Amino acid sequence: MKTGKPVYDFEIGIRPPDRETFYISINAAPIHDEEGNITGSIGTFMDVTHRRMAIRQKDDFISVASHELKTPITSLKASLQLLNRLKDKNKISSSMVPLLIQQANKSRDKVTALINDLLNAGKYTEGQLHLNKTRFSLVKMIRESLQHLHASDGYKINVSGDEDILVFADADRIEQVVVNFVNNAVKYAPESKFISVLISGTDKGSRLEVKDGGNGIAEEKLPYIFERYYRVDESGSQYSGLGLGLYISAGIIKKHGGKIGVESELGKGSTFWFSIPAEQL
Ligand code: ADP
């Protein structure tokens, strides 16, 4: 106030001895009389801890996302470099070529999937998701879409349920949710080689669950699991991911008027489920 200059949005952090740091934004301005003398002042002190945390979360997310994108791009670069070298040496018939192309395609698919997640997450936040509903057999759709996973890495995925259970939903979006559940089971429960997908139906609606025998999730973390950017392993070093898959899945199921959830116990595996109501006539 002595300087007579106003203060706009000046942020300070305060750390009480027995509490977490909180942040305050200060705005202040002097009040002058007609002659220009300072006769008083006005000031506001606003708690901006939430704003500060949101910015930090965004920064953390950007660094995770950049890292996630960089990994497949680096391996794509390596595959292309090797292909280039083979071409220069006129060894294009080398048996390495199909393998390198396969690797490059895999990296490209990873980048595409990450970008789709980033784009989709924005859509859900802005409420722009449109459903293209048709009537289809949930069990048949899932059997077809999980076919390629059956053979790989010794996983056994068991799909059980009645093929006559028909749902009226957006098949591509529902497939996205199921694939996300199953991919998560493969990724976060690697010690569980058996994954079961169970579909049931009543006249009220249909329910699907994906059960793994992995390590499970601690009880205190369960309430946050469908939140945007949330990842149980905060260091993020062990498994790759953006923490968007379940957030997007929850958006898809809610748009269908359904419910989504998880039951899990440490050491006893996890069951991720969703239910969608029967079509209202
Ligand atoms: P991402 O896999 O991209 O990090 P998700 O939204 O799909 O994001 O998952 C959020 C978090 O939930 C994961 O980081 C993981 O810690 C936890 N999680 C998901 N599925 C399982 C599972 N089957 N077993 C244990 N943890 C899981």
Side-chain angles (χ1 to χ4, degrees):
M1 284 301 117
K2 269 189 198 152
T3 65
K5 285 185 192 145
V7 176
Y8 295 115
D9 199 8
F10 182 78
E11 217 175 282
I12 56 166
I14 299 169
R15 186 165 184 191
D18 53 346
R19 265 179 60 195
E20 299 241 331
T21 305
F22 63 98
Y23 297 88
I24 283 180
S25 159
I26 302 170
N27 284 281
I31 298 170
H32 299 101
D33 64 13
E34 278 162 15
E35 276 97 51
N37 303 311
I38 297 173
T39 54
S41 64
I42 185 161
T44 61
F45 298 81
M46 191 163 63
D47 187 329
V48 289
T49 312
H50 280 298
R51 172 176 89 183
R52 184 87 177 205
M53 291 305 152
I55 293 170
R56 186 178 298 168
Q57 206 182 27
K58 207 154 210 162
D59 288 347
D60 286 352
F61 177 72
I62 289 170
S63 80
V64 170
S66 319
H67 176 80
E68 287 296 308
L69 285 166
K70 206 172 156 191
T71 313
I73 295 276
T74 309
S75 80
L76 182 62
K77 209 166 135 188
S79 308
L80 290 174
Q81 264 169 358
L82 279 169
L83 277 171
N84 210 17
R85 241 179 262 164
L86 290 175
K87 177 201 78 180
D88 289 344
K89 288 183 185 159
N90 261 341
K91 281 189 189 161
I92 206 71
S93 61
S94 153
S95 60
M96 283 283 281
V97 172
L99 190 74
L100 288 171
I101 292 177
Q102 196 189 352
Q103 260 174 15
N105 278 332
K106 224 171 146 183
S107 309
R108 182 210 51 198
D109 289 347
K110 257 192 171 158
V111 177
T112 311
L114 285 167
I115 291 174
N116 280 340
D117 270 3
L118 289 168
L119 289 173
N120 279 333
K123 254 191 209 162
Y124 296 110
T125 315
E126 288 150 30
Q128 287 169 352
L129 175 71
H130 298 293
L131 298 179
N132 181 16
K133 288 188 181 179
T134 54
R135 195 181 305 278
F136 61 93
S137 157
L138 200 51
V139 174
K140 264 193 202 157
M141 183 273 274
I142 288 158
R143 287 221 165 99
E144 275 162 31
S145 105
L146 298 181
Q147 230 167 19
H148 63 283
L149 274 174
H150 272 261
S152 68
D153 301 330
Y155 284 101
K156 176 115 187 63
I157 301 172
N158 185 46
V159 181
S160 59
D162 190 343
E163 291 210 351
D164 293 338
I165 299 171
L166 296 181
V167 291
F168 185 64
D170 187 320
D172 288 341
R173 300 288 183 192
I174 295 293
E175 179 180 6
Q176 197 182 335
V177 175
V178 181
V179 167
N180 185 36
F181 281 178
V182 172
N183 276 342
N184 277 352
V186 170
K187 185 158 74 166
Y188 298 110
E191 60 288 353
S192 145
K193 293 289 178 202
F194 191 79
I195 297 160
S196 108
V197 183
L198 183 72
I199 295 109
S200 55
T202 64
D203 44 349
K204 287 211 176 100
S206 317
R207 181 185 149 104
L208 177 144
E209 61 177 55
V210 175
K211 195 181 170 101
D212 69 60
N215 263 339
I217 302 154
E219 199 184 339
E220 69 272 16
K221 306 217 159 154
L222 287 176
Y224 309 104
I225 205 102
F226 293 97
E227 279 182 12
R228 190 149 65 136
Y229 310 140
Y230 186 77
R231 313 202 62 224
V232 171
D233 176 20
E234 274 166 35
S235 63
S237 52
Q238 200 179 354
Y239 303 109
S240 66
L242 294 174
L244 286 176
L246 290 176
Y247 169 75
I248 291 172
S249 300
I252 292 172
I253 297 303
K254 278 187 199 133
K255 189 84 185 177
H256 279 86
K259 289 193 176 122
I260 191 164
V262 57
E263 274 131 38
S264 185
E265 211 179 308
L266 269 186
K268 291 197 178 158
S270 314
T271 303
F272 281 85
W273 61 267
F274 70 78
S275 62
I276 43 177
E279 179 191 357
Q280 304 289 318
L281 292 172

